Amino acid sequence: KIAERKPALIFVDFDLSGTASGTSDEALRSVLEKYSADGPPLLLTREVETAECREKGCSGDPCKTAVAASGSRPSAVTALPYDDVGGEKPSIFWVSSSVVPDSDGVVRSWRLWSEVCKAGVRQLWPSPQLAATALASRSLADGKARLETYLKSIDGGVAGRSVVNVAWPRNSEAREALIPFIIGGSSQTRVSDWRQGAGFRYQRVRASSVLADEVADSAFRDRAVVLGASYGSDKFMTPFGAMPGAALLANAIAVAPDVLDRRPVSGVLLTGLSLILAACYAAIAKVFRAIPAAVIILTLSVVWLSVATYFLNPADAVATSSMALITLGAFLTFDTLVEMVEGLHEGQGFGVVLRKPGSASKQGRPKEKE
């Protein structure tokens, strides 16, 4: 149904590993066999099992041993009843959508690719966002060629072979990137105004509405469509609360072009921008009381993020704002410690930890007569 609406690509965010009961696998195999070779790129994913090789060994598996020797953690996938169909179709791709949260359980970034051992053969599987950005070209053949060329360049660097020169992506050093999480849960959320006025939207539609032909073609045409669930156990913690896995991937796909197709900004420039922001925030914090200062700083941060994404990729814009806020916190901490030391030197004792009464409240009072 969706392929008929001419989307840019379709990503099926459901784990296809294992064997389904009944005739489900046969039905899926039939769909894949009938899928048009010229149809929109169809991205399929399945669970990737991690193998611990450094401590427990890899049971003599040369593929896992080679991956472990390269410094990566080897992963393995089991054979599926429709593997051969996917491999024969030029419009069907296997991708790795595995998400690795930080130590606190919160997902903040994504990786471009994963090393996978399939039937004893080492392979590099692109992430959905890498595949989506690569395949968003004038023709499927061109997109597939530049995706394969980029993966070969990575494989050369990992395996110690000669690295293939690539023209894409422009930010060839990207391996993982921060997710700004510009997409929320609303069905009509404006995703960005920084994509050259493209007005990209994240829109949720019900599967039953798709099957009943109740959704306009414009909701699919030339868009990246993610098939996934917005309920159930497929949720991840993000800096903004729990989010369905499909929405998390939609965030990654939305910002991937700006991460990959823009050259990285030098760290010196980013540090300079962060210090300028921090200086502005510190000046505000010194002039205004806590609540007004917090409101002004928060407003300026929102304005900065809205403006900065016109000349920085979203990850760099968020990073500079975060660095500025951290610097502000360090400045306020140092400033407070200096005031406390001066108070102790003046003999204020325990009073150094108390807020000083404002002098403004004393202004305008009549002087007491002696």
Side-chain angles (χ1 to χ4, degrees):
K1 282 284 188 178
I2 293 175
E4 294 171 357
R5 310 296 183 88
K6 306 299 182 183
L9 62 92
I10 303 171
F11 171 56
V12 182
D13 187 30
F14 288 98
D15 178 21
L16 297 181
S17 60
T19 303
S21 59
T23 59
S24 299
D25 281 344
E26 288 75 10
L28 178 57
R29 182 184 179 89
S30 176
V31 170
L32 296 179
E33 287 177 338
K34 296 176 182 178
Y35 194 79
S36 172
D38 298 325
L42 180 62
L43 311 184
L44 305 176
T45 188
R46 53 180 142 169
E47 183 180 3
V48 175
E49 300 175 354
T50 301
E52 295 288 350
C53 285
R54 297 180 179 178
E55 297 178 1
K56 300 180 181 179
C58 289
S59 303
D61 190 320
C63 175
K64 296 178 182 178
T65 302
V67 173
S70 70
S72 299
R73 178 173 292 181
S75 302
V77 293
T78 56
L80 299 179
Y82 34 80
D83 266 350
D84 57 330
V85 180
E88 295 172 356
K89 291 281 186 177
S91 52
I92 298 178
F93 301 83
W94 284 104
V95 297
S96 174
S97 61
S98 57
V99 176
V100 181
D102 292 338
S103 58
D104 58 357
V106 178
V107 177
R108 297 181 177 87
S109 60
W110 48 261
R111 298 184 212 170
L112 280 181
W113 45 269
S114 297
E115 293 187 67
V116 175
C117 290
K118 181 180 178 183
V121 179
R122 178 175 167 276
Q123 301 178 359
L124 294 185
W125 281 15
S127 63
Q129 52 271 26
L130 173 62
T133 309
L135 297 172
S137 57
R138 294 181 180 180
S139 70
L140 177 59
D142 291 342
K144 188 175 181 179
R146 69 176 183 173
L147 178 60
E148 291 177 349
T149 301
Y150 179 54
L151 290 176
K152 285 182 180 178
S153 71
I154 296 174
D155 184 51
V158 170
R161 297 189 291 270
S162 59
V163 179
V164 179
N165 292 326
V166 293
W168 180 89
R170 297 183 68 190
N171 183 8
S172 59
E173 297 301 317
R175 291 295 182 268
E176 61 181 46
L178 184 71
I179 306 177
F181 290 105
I182 56 179
I183 294 174
S186 172
S187 61
Q188 295 292 336
T189 302
R190 292 286 298 186
V191 171
S192 73
D193 292 323
W194 42 262
R195 289 173 62 88
Q196 300 178 350
F200 184 90
R201 280 185 183 273
Y202 167 62
Q203 183 175 352
R204 294 195 304 181
V205 296
R206 296 181 63 86
S208 57
S209 299
V210 176
L211 297 176
D213 291 325
E214 298 173 351
V215 184
D217 287 355
S218 58
F220 304 98
R221 188 175 299 277
D222 298 326
R223 299 179 184 272
V225 179
V226 178
L227 288 177
S230 57
Y231 56 88
S233 59
D234 183 31
K235 284 186 169 60
F236 296 89
M237 286 304 300
T238 73
F240 302 100
M243 182 175 291
L248 192 152
L249 264 298
N251 272 286
I253 291 173
V255 303
D258 284 84
V259 173
L260 293 167
D261 291 333
R262 292 189 185 187
R263 295 191 184 280
V265 179
S266 70
V268 175
L269 177 58
L270 292 179
T271 302
L273 291 173
S274 300
L275 291 177
I276 293 173
L277 275 177
C280 294
Y281 293 165
I284 293 170
K286 291 292 289 184
V287 173
F288 296 91
R289 288 185 176 272
I291 293 180
V295 172
I296 296 173
I297 291 174
L298 178 61
T299 303
L300 286 179
S301 297
V302 173
V303 171
W304 163 255
L305 291 176
S306 300
V307 173
T309 46
Y310 282 97
F311 57 91
L312 297 175
N313 70 53
D316 287 339
V318 173
T320 53
S321 181
S322 301
M323 192 181 301
L325 292 174
I326 293 173
T327 305
L328 171 64
F331 166 76
L332 294 178
T333 300
F334 178 77
D335 188 55
T336 301
L337 290 175
V338 170
E339 290 182 352
M340 292 176 66
V341 170
E342 291 178 347
L344 290 173
H345 184 71
E346 295 172 358
Q348 295 181 13
F350 185 74
V352 297
V353 300
L354 302 177
R355 182 183 293 275
K356 295 181 180 179
S359 58
S361 62
K362 299 179 181 180
Q363 295 179 359
R365 291 182 179 178
K367 294 182 179 181
E368 296 180 0
K369 294 182 179 180
E370 294 182 359

